[in-house]
């Protein structure tokens, strides 16, 4: 059969970078993005906060968690008002320890975003894997996985996260609790959210597995794991992306809630939630900026991520087009 | 091309699907278990280099047979011998891969049978890589270009995604993928029924050319008698999972033995305008869950006798044809 036709092999000219950018600019998603001002604003906010979080240590006027750089005399300075002792002004004021609120927000959103992304990645990997297996294999394995997910979904996910957090902490020796607080938090929030992914992925997988391209792959004799990874997974990623974006906002808020309750990150590496908890102690005594600015940052972050998720859901939903 | 040796032999093939409600519902609501007899005691053999067609209405079990043969569905009973080897008895995975390489399938819907997220070249290369036929990337690419040319597409089309092609072009891609492993036997499950009429003939002629070129053996599944007549050397007529008549194409179209075959032929539109009066198909195929007693066809048969209502007819030979009927035509 090989000697039958001396056809030229396909020329593997991948499109150039400029062509690819042009194609991306013309795509439906880019078009919808360009014509949605709300989404553009949301994306700008998310990018600014991401930029601030990533480059925080270089942007921040001070390292608020290095005791050497703090001056107690500068405590509780109002925003844009010169300190009565040193004469220094702070953009967003300082807290009781003399920490620059702008710097704490940069450092705090770093922790919040890291925990949020890591928790989403963890629950996504777990949920997508279990959902793929449940949907593709079916049978008793499907029942076991999905009933577990159903049972977990009957509890409020924050409650589940609290339970997992509390349970895991008892397993950790007291000496290393502070270092392991962030991983434990990621584990707790991630474990609380996996059923969302599993349910969606299972549903889409059950549709895809009966399509003929999956059957064609089975006729070739590919291993089920390869079929799931190479054929089914790319076709279920659309809805997963939407849940992951919306889940990021949820995870950030969950982390903030846990930290606000005092069970999240340790005081040595505070997140936005911790800052809000600390700040609310001063709201009655008039130092409103300690609470307000971290809270507004958290609100803007969660809202912007949510708006992006909503937009993504609409764009990827063929029924709405 | 054909030496009369059977490449594929199917014997006593049976497939029953359990379509009962869940156990708890059955107990509470008092329902009995329900079974769908999709394929019931089907036997046929396909000589190498020939085309055997299975025809029948929707729900007659055509696609189930195709899927059993390529291993997508396990049979409830019966044996499938490919080149003399019983497929069900092969336990060794590497041996199974060797067998799988030798038979492939072309699906009905070219819009569903190609992964929308993969480039055409990768789709066609997948069997080559899966069977480990060619080692290095350059050789695989060259082979993919060859296969695309073989199905009369431009080798550069390999860089495109399936949605950039028309239905006919997609089916060509699917044929190229099926041929990628150098198979001997192709199961074609209504390969043209999703295509425009103008494209159907191109695909069918391509398949015939490929058959001639590579000595392929086809199991061709269709509900379109004109297509079957064009493609097949032998035809099996399915009714509710049973093979009611097997005959050579010429024999079947000139002298149908089973009343059902005759009914199907009478219903074909008369394009030659000979003035023949068409008889529309009477009634509908009964549910395969609740099948009629005796001969399944008796409620729609105009020559049915009392015996047909109680006793299922066994297969018997009349001339060159095998018929399951108590009152065959022309006997």
């Amino acid at each position: 059969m090989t000697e039958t036709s001396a056809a030229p092999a396909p020329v593997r000219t991948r499109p150039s970078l400029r062509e690819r950018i042009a194609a991306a600019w013309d795509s439906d998603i880019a078009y919808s993005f360009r014509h949605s001002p709300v989404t553009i604003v949301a994306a700008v906010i998310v990018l600014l906060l991401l930029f601030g979080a990533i480059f925080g240590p270089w942007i921040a006027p001070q390292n608020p968690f290095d005791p050497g750089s703090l001056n107690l005399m500068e405590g509780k300075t109002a925003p844009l008002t010169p300190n009565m002792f040193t004469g220094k002004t702070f953009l967003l004021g300082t807290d009781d320890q003399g920490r620059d609120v702008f710097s704490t927000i940069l450092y705090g959103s770093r922790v919040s975003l890291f925990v949020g992304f890591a928790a989403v990645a963890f629950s996504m990997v777990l949920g997508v894997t279990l959902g793929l297996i449940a949907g593709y294999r079916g049978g008793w394995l499907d029942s076991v996985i999905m009933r577990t997910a159903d049972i977990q979904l009957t509890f409020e996910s924050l409650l589940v996260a609290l339970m997992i957090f509390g349970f895991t902490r008892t397993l950790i020796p007291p000496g290393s609790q502070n270092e392991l607080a962030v991983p434990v938090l990621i584990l707790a929030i991630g474990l609380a959210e996996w059923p969302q992914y599993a349910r969606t992925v299972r549903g889409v997988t059950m549709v895809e597995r009966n399509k003929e391209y999956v059957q064609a792959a089975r006729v070739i004799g590919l291993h089920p794991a390869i079929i799931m990874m190479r054929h089914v997974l790319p076709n279920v990623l659309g809805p997963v992306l939407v849940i992951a974006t919306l889940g990021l906002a949820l995870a950030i808020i969950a982390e903030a809630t846990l930290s606000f309750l005092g069970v999240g990150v340790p005081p040595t590496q505070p997140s936005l939630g911790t800052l809000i908890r600390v700040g609310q102690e001063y709201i009655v005594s008039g130092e409103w900026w300690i609470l307000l600015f971290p809270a507004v940052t958290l609100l803007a972050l969660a809202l912007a991520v949510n708006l992006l998720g909503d937009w993504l859901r609409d764009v990827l939903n063929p029924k709405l087009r | 091309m054909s030496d009369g040796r059977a490449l594929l032999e199917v014997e006593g093939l049976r497939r029953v699907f359990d379509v009962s409600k869940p156990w708890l519902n059955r107990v509470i609501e008092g329902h009995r278990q329900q079974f769908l007899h999709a394929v019931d005691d089907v036997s046929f053999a396909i000589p190498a280099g020939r085309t055997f067609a299975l025809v029948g209405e929707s729900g007659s079990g055509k696609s189930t047979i195709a899927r059993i043969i390529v291993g997508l569905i396990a049979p409830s009973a019966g044996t499938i011998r490919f080149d003399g080897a019983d497929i069900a008895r092969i336990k060794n995975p590497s041996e199974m891969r060797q067998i799988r390489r030798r038979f492939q399938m072309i699906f009905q819907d070219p819009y569903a049978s190609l992964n929308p997220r993969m480039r055409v070249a990768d789709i066609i290369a997948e069997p080559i890589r899966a069977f480990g036929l060619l080692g290095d990337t350059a050789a695989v690419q060259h082979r993919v270009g060859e296969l695309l040319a073989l199905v009369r597409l431009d080798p550069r089309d390999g860089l495109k995604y399936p949605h950039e092609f028309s239905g006919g072009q997609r089916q060509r891609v699917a044929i190229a993928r099926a041929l990628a492993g150098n198979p001997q036997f192709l199961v074609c499950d209504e390969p043209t029924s999703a295509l425009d009429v103008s494209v159907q003939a191109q695909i069918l002629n391509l398949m015939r050319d490929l058959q001639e070129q590579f000595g392929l053996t086809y199991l061709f599944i269709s509900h379109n008698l004109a297509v079957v007549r064009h493609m097949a050397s032998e035809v099996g007529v399915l009714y509710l999972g049973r093979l009611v008549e097997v005959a050579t194409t010429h024999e079947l179209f000139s002298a149908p033995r089973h009343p059902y075959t005759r009914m199907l032929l009478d219903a074909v539109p008369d394009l030659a305008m000979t003035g023949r009066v068409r008889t529309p198909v009477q009634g509908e195929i009964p549910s395969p869950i609740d099948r009629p007693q005796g001969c399944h066809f008796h409620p729609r048969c105009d020559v049915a006798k009392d015996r047909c209502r109680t006793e299922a007819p066994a297969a018997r030979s009349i001339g060159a044809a095998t018929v399951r009927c108590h009152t065959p035509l022309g006997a």
Side-chain angles (χ1 to χ4, degrees):
Chain A
M1 197 157 158
T2 27
E3 70 283 345
T4 49
S5 57
V11 209
R12 278 259 157 179
T13 44
R14 296 274 179 193
S16 75
L17 186 65
R18 181 175 292 181
E19 278 167 350
R20 264 192 272 177
I21 291 173
W25 180 257
D26 281 338
S27 69
D28 290 351
I29 293 181
Y31 179 87
S32 152
F33 183 80
R34 292 204 303 274
H35 290 78
S36 167
V38 174
T39 314
I40 295 175
V41 171
V44 168
I45 291 174
V46 170
L47 285 178
L48 274 180
L49 287 169
L50 269 179
F51 180 83
I54 293 167
F55 298 103
W58 292 277
I59 304 170
Q62 58 163 238
N63 179 353
F65 306 108
D66 171 18
S69 71
L70 299 183
N71 183 349
L72 269 180
M73 305 283 274
E74 288 170 359
K76 300 185 185 177
T77 311
L80 295 175
T81 322
N83 182 269
M84 60 175 89
F85 303 108
T86 60
K88 269 168 90 178
T89 47
F90 297 89
L91 182 64
L92 302 179
T94 60
D95 69 359
D96 59 323
Q97 314 267 330
R99 284 189 284 236
D100 173 35
V101 172
F102 179 59
S103 304
T104 56
I105 288 175
L106 288 177
Y107 276 79
S109 50
R110 208 173 150 81
V111 176
S112 287
L113 278 165
F114 174 72
V115 172
F117 273 110
V120 164
F122 176 61
S123 57
M124 187 163 79
V125 169
L126 187 69
V128 168
T129 310
L130 289 174
L132 270 177
I133 294 171
Y136 191 80
R137 270 283 310 270
W140 65 268
L141 199 58
D142 177 31
S143 298
V144 169
I145 292 172
M146 293 326 290
R147 290 304 83 76
T148 312
D150 285 346
I151 291 168
Q152 198 184 314
L153 274 175
T154 60
F155 297 98
E156 163 65 31
S157 63
L158 200 63
L159 207 62
V160 177
L162 253 175
M163 270 163 27
I164 298 167
F165 188 82
F167 181 72
T168 321
R169 289 213 100 171
T170 57
L171 299 177
I172 298 173
S176 49
Q177 288 218 334
N178 273 355
E179 296 123 66
L180 289 175
V182 168
V184 168
L185 200 60
I186 292 166
L187 181 86
I189 298 173
L191 272 182
E193 294 292 340
W194 74 268
Q196 307 286 351
Y197 298 89
R199 280 172 73 126
T200 309
V201 169
R202 170 181 176 263
V204 185
T205 304
M206 287 172 78
V207 174
E208 295 296 320
R209 67 157 292 181
N210 287 323
K211 290 201 179 155
E212 288 177 344
Y213 72 88
V214 174
Q215 299 188 343
R218 287 174 60 199
V219 170
I220 296 169
L222 293 180
H223 191 272
I226 292 176
I227 297 179
M228 280 188 247
M229 290 297 296
R230 202 186 292 164
H231 292 279
V232 183
L233 184 63
N235 289 294
V236 304
L237 276 186
V240 169
L241 199 62
V242 174
I243 313 176
T245 315
L246 295 173
L248 177 64
L250 277 180
I252 290 169
I253 291 174
E255 183 278 325
T257 311
L258 289 176
S259 296
F260 182 82
L261 294 173
V263 294
V265 292
T268 48
Q269 39 184 153
S271 70
L272 290 175
T274 326
L275 297 179
I276 293 168
R277 187 192 66 205
V278 174
Q280 56 100 23
E281 293 167 15
Y282 298 96
I283 188 79
V284 279
S285 54
E287 285 93 18
W288 48 271
W289 58 89
I290 306 178
L291 170 67
L292 185 72
F293 293 119
V296 166
T297 310
L298 179 68
L299 182 76
L301 179 60
L303 191 64
V305 171
N306 239 320
L307 286 171
L308 276 184
D310 276 346
W311 166 77
L312 206 57
R313 186 182 55 200
D314 292 349
V315 165
L316 297 180
N317 185 350
K319 284 181 199 142
L320 284 179
R321 280 205 234 164
Chain B
M1 195 159 48
S2 91
D3 51 5
R5 182 178 54 92
L7 185 66
L8 184 92
E9 285 170 276
V10 172
E11 219 177 287
L13 199 65
R14 204 179 286 276
R15 174 67 215 206
V16 181
F17 291 105
D18 186 347
V19 291
S20 316
K21 289 186 171 177
W23 173 81
L24 198 63
N25 295 46
R26 286 207 308 274
V27 171
I28 294 170
E29 295 162 19
H31 287 295
R32 285 190 300 138
Q33 269 191 300
Q34 284 191 314
F35 295 102
L36 186 154
H37 297 261
V39 181
D40 189 0
D41 196 16
V42 165
S43 306
F44 58 87
I46 311 176
R50 297 294 190 85
T51 301
F52 183 88
L54 279 176
V55 295
E57 291 167 90
S58 308
S60 58
K62 310 183 294 275
S63 290
T64 308
I65 294 177
R67 281 167 168 69
I68 291 173
I69 289 172
V70 295
L72 287 172
I73 302 175
S76 304
T79 54
I80 301 162
R81 272 192 296 278
F82 183 77
D83 207 5
D86 185 345
I87 291 178
R89 283 168 192 254
I90 299 172
K91 293 279 179 272
N92 181 349
S94 71
E95 211 175 320
M96 194 64 220
R97 283 209 329 181
Q98 280 311 305
I99 290 274
R100 274 188 193 278
R101 186 186 68 72
R102 295 168 65 190
F103 55 82
Q104 278 300 312
M105 181 155 176
I106 298 169
F107 291 89
Q108 176 176 2
D109 183 1
Y111 291 89
S113 67
L114 305 175
N115 187 340
R117 308 258 166 186
M118 277 169 86
R119 282 174 202 273
V120 160
D122 295 324
I123 291 174
I124 298 174
E126 190 158 51
I128 305 174
R129 299 210 174 95
F131 297 125
L133 297 180
L134 291 169
D136 65 306
T137 323
V140 173
Q141 270 182 42
H142 184 79
R143 175 88 177 109
V144 169
E146 234 173 53
L147 286 160
L148 280 168
L150 198 62
V151 296
R152 286 151 217 176
L153 287 172
D154 191 322
R156 276 167 300 183
D157 286 342
L159 291 173
K160 295 184 185 166
Y161 285 95
H163 67 84
E164 298 174 63
F165 292 94
S166 70
Q169 290 172 320
R170 284 171 187 231
Q171 200 59 298
R172 288 170 193 271
V173 172
I175 292 172
R177 170 179 59 191
L179 292 175
N182 297 326
Q184 293 163 288
F185 177 68
L186 284 183
V187 175
C188 317
D189 184 10
E190 309 212 27
T192 58
S193 66
L195 304 176
D196 289 347
V197 178
S198 54
V199 183
Q200 287 190 6
Q202 295 174 16
I203 297 294
L204 293 173
N205 288 332
L206 172 68
M207 289 177 65
R208 281 182 66 146
D209 292 349
L210 294 170
Q211 178 170 42
E212 213 162 292
Q213 198 173 348
F214 302 118
L216 296 169
T217 308
Y218 288 150
L219 171 62
F220 194 90
I221 287 165
S222 183
H223 57 246
N224 186 335
L225 288 170
V227 167
V228 165
R229 192 171 195 170
H230 180 67
M231 294 295 290
S233 44
E234 218 181 346
V235 184
V237 180
L238 272 174
Y239 189 75
L240 270 183
R242 280 188 194 157
L243 213 44
V244 293
E245 179 166 359
V246 180
T248 62
T249 310
H250 177 75
E251 176 99 7
L252 188 106
F253 280 89
S254 56
R257 302 287 179 182
H258 198 282
Y260 178 61
T261 314
R262 197 194 54 193
M263 189 171 99
L264 288 179
L265 291 177
D266 282 348
V268 173
D270 183 11
L271 283 181
M273 308 272 251
T274 54
R276 175 174 64 88
V277 180
R278 278 178 61 201
T279 321
V281 169
Q282 308 288 317
E284 272 180 52
I285 194 163
S287 160
I289 298 172
D290 187 18
R291 299 180 301 173
Q293 291 284 310
C295 171
H296 296 333
F297 187 60
H298 80 255
R300 294 165 81 183
C301 183
D302 48 9
V303 293
K305 299 197 174 81
D306 283 347
R307 189 184 174 200
C308 304
R309 289 179 240 285
T310 51
E311 188 189 332
R316 59 166 158 160
S317 299
I318 300 172
T322 311
V323 187
R324 276 177 188 261
C325 183
H326 293 305
T327 56
L329 309 164

